[in-house]
Amino acid sequence: MPSRRHRILRSRALALLAAGPLAIPLGPAAAQAQSAARSGEAVTLEELSVSGDGEGVGQGVGPGIGQGAGRASGGPPRAAAPTPLDKPVGEVVTSIGREGVIDNRAATTVADILRNSPGVTVRQGNGPRDIVVSIRGNNARATGVSRNMVVLEDGFPVTQADGSSRFDLTDPRAYNRIDVFRGPQSPFFGNFATGGALNFVTRRGAEIDGVEVGVDAGSFGYLNNYTAIGGLSGPFEYSLFASDTRGNGFISHNSFDTQTINFLGTYTPTPDNRFTLKIINNTLFTLLPGRTSLNQFAINPFQRGCLTAASAAAGCTTFNLLANGRFGATVPVTADQGAFLRDDRRTIVGARWEHDIDAFTTWRTQLVFDDRNINQPFYTTAARGDFPGFNFLSDVTRRGDLFGLPATGYVALAYNTLDSFSRTYNRVLGAGPALGALIADQDTTQANFGGRARAEVQLSDRWIAVAGISAENTTIDGSNTSYSYAAARTTTTIANVNRSFLNVAPELALLYRPSEAWQLRGRVATGYSTPSAGNLFVTPAGVPGNNTQLRTQENLGFDVGFDWTPVETLRLSVTGFYEFFRNELITQSPGAGLLSFTFNAPASEHRGVEVGASWAFAPGWSATAAYTYDDQVYTRYVEQLSAGTRSTRFDRAGNKIPGVPANQLLARVGYEQRTGPLAGLGGYVETVFQDDFFLDNANLLRAPGYSLVNLNLHYATDLVGYAKRLNLFFEVRNIFDRTYVASAQNLANSISAATGLQNGAAVLANTNGSVFAGAPRNFVGGMKLSF
């Protein structure tokens, strides 16, 4: 017979679970949970959430649970789109909401939002919204595609089967919040989640409840016209966001325009069935400036006077194009001469069916079609390709008892695949972005198939235990045909790949809540990230060829932390992490105009501390901070460098991993007038600090750090009549007009062909193809009308 204690726990859990899904509360929070359950609201014991009106934060227990799942039959139909990843117990998650981050400023890219989360590094990519995001330094070395994380929107994956994510399609105005999962997350998300995951949550139709029309305008010709339409009608809920964004850019040859459509619709025919449709379409056209060397950045950071190579001002970067597009003599060109650009499209269509089998069991099935089409003639090569893929997920979540203890169980089956049809051409000087000879023809298929399981068990009033595991098989099959040209002949080289990777990732977590104010947590988890097909066909020389020896990147991470909320107005969260990597995938550039290549570092360690805090220290006043200390070192890696007939090996053990700043901080102090004739008027000052970081494995050259100060003023008021609400804002960014490095590609070290000695920092500092400058002082303002 179950003990009296177990009977009490079981009856309490059943009472709460019958009212809706929730992360089972701990001890002193039980009264709050019961009250929330009676009102249809779910509760979690979450880590610090830097959020505004973060509707849905904390709802659900595990992946696959939407709001209201498991509701007793007979309740009213719920026509709200489910959010399947609402902060599961045991994960280190920060949620960033709209207030002060999106609503009251022109968040031109997701970088403006994600800086508010500890552990996140953001860099400028190759396009206006092409932000390279890394979590805990994973992926900090990339300059375009983001890897080592899984990205979702409303629970639908927008990471393709090769692990690639791009943020061109993410207009920040569309979102209600972003959840940042930090640390190894493969037990929960599968392949590529060694660094973590992001879940973008769009605004619900009921929240918009009408029509919103807005415009943001600012320096350098920036203009964003956008609209949001949403509503709730019987069993239907819908939200549609559309924007047209364009600008001249603050670097020469960097004008752009991009259009985005983002739709989320839900149909709830019965209380136990919910159908969701997700559509995203983004088109992008942007001119691209040349990435400079560090020395060129110091002389001419914004590439002024660089129309032609012949008349170029000091510090202009040039790239050498083959005069005939095939072999032989080269011609130096600037970005304007070479007509460097990107002309891309991304289309995603997803559908999901959620079915409540009974009051405690939810079954969810979803299918996503994702097509990425690229035309990228920039620098010395041009890439053209189409990358269609599918992503399938079916999972079951069960809320009930495990050995008499309240528990939530989750099992999932996942499959995704991507066909890559990619052609690479030499560039040649001509009218527009003229193409030379074909140098690589790649046709591959990459697929991931696996299963995941997870259990959350409330051991007592104060303790929760979590265990999870995933197992997944990844296959890469295909070939790359590369062509090299000479006057006498054309040489064709075929590199075939037929690789299979089997990976398993477990996790364990324990949460303890000794009082209402304190939550203590510990977690040990693993992650894996296989190479993508594209990594396998670029050699360390930076040219198409065979690089098929790459292995799976694996990491084992330990997290220990606490959340402290002594009063409602003060929240502090601290997390320490220590992660051990094996075969870490590192990407770097071998030099100007060459393709970046990827290699495995046999062993490395990442360790650090993440701190998040918010404090409403006086009526109307508040302060927010997000700080990260991240120390990454090689513990076992010998690098071989070659030049001419000489080769030399260098032991990099103990060196810092390039691309990762040791210290980052966002700090904000603001004021909001809550009452009186000036109610709705507010503002804040924020500083963004990032440490310097090494650009090379030998730790010879550093990209300088920076500290920026931004000022924001905003006003919001309700209106009487046809229009319901008015929002206004004005912002000065980089008030002190600092010149800083917004992005820097890691550089490969080299040796002298004559002596075999390693070249010094002066050689690296003169190697172009690395640096983009950040925006100088600029102004942006906007308004939004709600009807």
Side-chain angles (χ1 to χ4, degrees), residues 177-265:
R177 77 175 196 273
I178 304 174
D179 296 334
V180 182
F181 294 72
R182 311 200 301 270
Q185 294 288 344
S186 290
F188 202 56
F189 296 98
N191 198 5
F192 308 114
T194 48
L198 300 174
N199 184 37
F200 290 77
V201 180
T202 56
R203 300 175 70 195
R204 306 285 175 81
E207 177 194 348
I208 299 170
D209 191 26
V211 178
E212 296 179 355
V213 179
V215 58
D216 302 333
S219 302
F220 314 111
Y222 177 76
L223 180 66
N224 182 19
N225 293 296
Y226 63 94
T227 185
I229 304 170
L232 177 65
S233 178
F236 295 95
E237 185 175 28
Y238 62 91
S239 64
L240 172 66
F241 175 86
S243 69
D244 177 274
T245 309
R246 54 194 64 218
N248 299 324
F250 54 87
I251 304 178
S252 296
H253 195 72
N254 198 26
S255 61
F256 63 88
D257 67 85
T258 179
Q259 293 75 42
T260 302
I261 295 174
N262 198 321
F263 174 80
L264 182 69

Side-chain angles (χ1 to χ4, degrees), residues 45-396:
L45 298 170
E46 56 180 334
E47 205 228 4
L48 175 71
S49 175
V50 185
S51 62
D53 56 340
E55 179 183 348
V57 174
Q59 297 170 8
V61 179
I65 299 184
Q67 299 166 324
R71 183 182 52 258
S73 61
R78 178 188 53 77
T83 304
L85 295 165
D86 279 329
K87 305 188 74 173
V89 171
E91 307 301 322
V92 184
V93 187
T94 299
S95 283
I96 312 162
R98 291 182 64 83
E99 186 176 347
V101 181
I102 301 174
D103 264 344
N104 300 326
R105 75 183 310 179
T108 55
T109 71
V110 294
D112 298 317
I113 307 174
L114 293 173
R115 284 192 183 97
N116 292 266
S117 172
V120 175
T121 303
V122 290
R123 300 269 168 78
Q124 180 61 50
N126 296 317
R129 292 200 305 236
D130 186 34
I131 300 301
V132 178
V133 180
S134 67
I135 303 175
R136 293 186 176 175
N138 290 276
N139 197 58
R141 295 156 287 278
T143 57
V145 173
S146 290
R147 300 191 186 276
N148 299 323
M149 71 179 74
V150 171
V151 183
L152 308 102
E153 273 208 20
D154 299 310
F156 292 96
V158 294
T159 294
Q160 293 191 300
D162 64 347
S164 62
S165 303
R166 292 199 97 128
F167 296 96
D168 299 310
L169 73 168
T170 52
D171 188 317
R173 291 292 192 195
Y175 302 107
N176 180 62
R177 77 175 196 273
I178 304 174
D179 296 334
V180 182
F181 294 72
R182 311 200 301 270
Q185 294 288 344
S186 290
F188 202 56
F189 296 98
N191 198 5
F192 308 114
T194 48
L198 300 174
N199 184 37
F200 290 77
V201 180
T202 56
R203 300 175 70 195
R204 306 285 175 81
E207 177 194 348
I208 299 170
D209 191 26
V211 178
E212 296 179 355
V213 179
V215 58
D216 302 333
S219 302
F220 314 111
Y222 177 76
L223 180 66
N224 182 19
N225 293 296
Y226 63 94
T227 185
I229 304 170
L232 177 65
S233 178
F236 295 95
E237 185 175 28
Y238 62 91
S239 64
L240 172 66
F241 175 86
S243 69
D244 177 274
T245 309
R246 54 194 64 218
N248 299 324
F250 54 87
I251 304 178
S252 296
H253 195 72
N254 198 26
S255 61
F256 63 88
D257 67 85
T258 179
Q259 293 75 42
T260 302
I261 295 174
N262 198 321
F263 174 80
L264 182 69
T266 299
Y267 172 53
T268 308
T270 70
D272 298 327
N273 291 281
R274 294 168 295 281
F275 297 91
T276 302
L277 176 65
K278 177 75 176 180
I279 300 173
I280 309 172
N281 190 75
N282 173 257
T283 58
L284 166 71
F285 181 87
T286 180
L287 303 181
L288 284 180
R291 288 181 176 269
T292 69
S293 70
L294 200 58
N295 284 344
Q296 289 168 332
F297 162 79
I299 297 169
N300 192 351
F302 306 113
Q303 294 294 282
R304 306 294 188 230
C306 301
L307 189 62
T308 67
S311 62
C316 288
T317 186
T318 60
F319 296 83
N320 295 320
L321 304 188
L322 291 166
N324 63 10
R326 298 168 64 87
F327 62 89
T330 61
V331 179
V333 301
T334 63
D336 287 273
Q337 280 181 293
F340 300 161
L341 60 85
R342 286 180 58 205
D343 186 4
D344 297 349
R345 176 188 55 79
R346 183 85 177 270
T347 301
I348 299 172
V349 179
R352 178 164 61 230
W353 172 42
E354 280 190 293
H355 174 63
D356 298 337
I357 297 174
D358 56 37
F360 307 105
T361 309
T362 300
W363 176 28
R364 179 172 65 106
T365 299
Q366 69 181 30
L367 179 66
V368 178
F369 170 72
D370 185 344
D371 183 49
R372 175 167 49 100
N373 191 281
I374 67 169
N375 176 23
Q376 300 176 352
F378 62 89
Y379 306 154
T380 60
T381 62
R384 289 185 172 181
D386 189 40
F387 304 85
F390 288 91
N391 195 305
F392 172 81
L393 173 72
S394 187
D395 59 32
V396 175

Side-chain angles (χ1 to χ4, degrees), residues 45-50 87 91-95 117-119 136 182 517-521 560-566 570-576 609-615 625-628:
L45 298 170
E46 56 180 334
E47 205 228 4
L48 175 71
S49 175
V50 185
K87 305 188 74 173
E91 307 301 322
V92 184
V93 187
T94 299
S95 283
S117 172
R136 293 186 176 175
R182 311 200 301 270
W518 287 92
Q519 177 175 271
L520 310 178
R521 46 190 163 75
V560 177
F562 68 85
D563 307 309
W564 181 51
T565 311
L570 175 61
R571 306 187 71 186
L572 174 66
S573 173
V574 178
T575 303
V609 178
E610 301 162 331
V611 180
S614 63
W615 182 27
Y627 169 76
T628 304

